[in-house]
């Protein structure tokens, strides 16, 4: 895994992210959001939850905080995610979460970048064009591409992106497609603009295997960087998988934290 950036510039980016994004309730999307001490707790319309820890407690108080969330979601009969960041305190928080029955899933890397320090050059391979899309038909073409890449259903995607486009933190969806009448989507991504903050976040970027290595993902990053700059956003944020964190770091985004979703599920 690429090492984390501990430079003063990276730490300043991380502090801005913690202040503006982690402490922000965000959109409920039809569910509920509440502040519970040092936590932001979200419950979706179908019951599943998400916990954002803001820090500031230690020892037995942390254990009580975790136990209270387990009890809360157990009563709902719902699972929940506690998103852990590698700079969270206390240092033994992962062990405390595991002891309480939460199970870690695959780690990701939080990368942040100053828009002014990132390339604005959208360089496309011959025969490929980028296009912003909103129609159901285009989102379903995007779904088909994602399913071809990953090998499992993305039936949720058109509805989720339709909602995201109209959300309080609006999304712009971009496809890379072959430049012909019967065009094929070969890569797709989206960017969300977090209203009232200096941050926009990058999502997606899956590319069909036969089209990888041609700079298409790089073009998506630059295109979305330009959208953020045009709207006055100062920073870009990505939660990156192991497959994409290296290229994002090479493009100038700084890896500032490891993140791990800790999941609790009710006993069946």
């Amino acid at each position: 895994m690429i090492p984390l950036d501990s430079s003063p510039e990276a730490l300043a980016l991380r502090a801005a992210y913690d202040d503006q994004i982690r402490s922000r309730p965000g959109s409920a999307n039809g569910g509920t959001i509440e502040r519970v001490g040092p936590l932001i707790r979200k419950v979706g319309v179908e019951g599943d939850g998400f916990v954002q820890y803001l820090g500031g407690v230690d020892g037995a108080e942390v254990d009580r905080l975790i136990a209270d969330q387990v009890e809360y979601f157990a009563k709902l009969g719902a699972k929940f995610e506690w998103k852990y960041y590698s700079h969270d305190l206390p240092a033994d928080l992962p062990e405390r979460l595991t002891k309480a029955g939460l199970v870690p899933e695959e780690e990701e890397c939080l990368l942040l970048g100053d828009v002014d320090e990132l390339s604005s050059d959208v360089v496309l391979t011959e025969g490929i064009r980028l296009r912003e899309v909103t129609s159901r038909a285009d989102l379903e073409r995007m779904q088909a591409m994602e399913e071809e890449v990953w090998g499992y259903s993305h039936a949720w995607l058109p509805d989720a992106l339709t909602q995201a486009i109209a959300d309080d933190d609006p999304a712009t969806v971009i496809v890379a497609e072959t430049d012909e009448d019967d065009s094929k989507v070969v890569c797709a991504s989206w960017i969300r603009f977090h209203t009232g903050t200096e941050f926009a976040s990058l999502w997606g970027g899956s590319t069909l295997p036969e089209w990888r290595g041609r700079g298409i993902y790089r073009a998506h990053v630059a295109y979305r960087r330009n959208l953020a700059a045009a709207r006055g956003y100062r920073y870009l944020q990505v939660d990156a998988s192991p497959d994409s964190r290296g290229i994002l770091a090479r493009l100038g985004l700084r890896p500032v934290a490891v993140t791990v979703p800790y999941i609790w599920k009710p006993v069946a």
Side-chain angles (χ1 to χ4, degrees), residues 15-58:
Y17 173 84
D18 285 347
D19 179 57
Q20 297 185 40
I21 299 298
R22 288 189 69 184
S23 62
R24 181 174 180 264
S27 174
N29 291 325
T32 63
I33 301 176
E34 59 182 331
R35 181 72 180 260
V36 184
L39 296 176
I40 294 173
R41 184 168 64 201
K42 301 183 181 183
V43 181
V45 291
E46 296 181 358
D48 290 349
F50 178 84
V51 169
Q52 180 69 72
Y53 173 59
L54 306 178
V57 296
D58 202 350

Side-chain angles (χ1 to χ4, degrees), residues 161-172:
L161 290 180
T162 296
Q163 181 176 0
I165 290 168
D167 193 74
D168 293 339
D169 288 354
T172 298

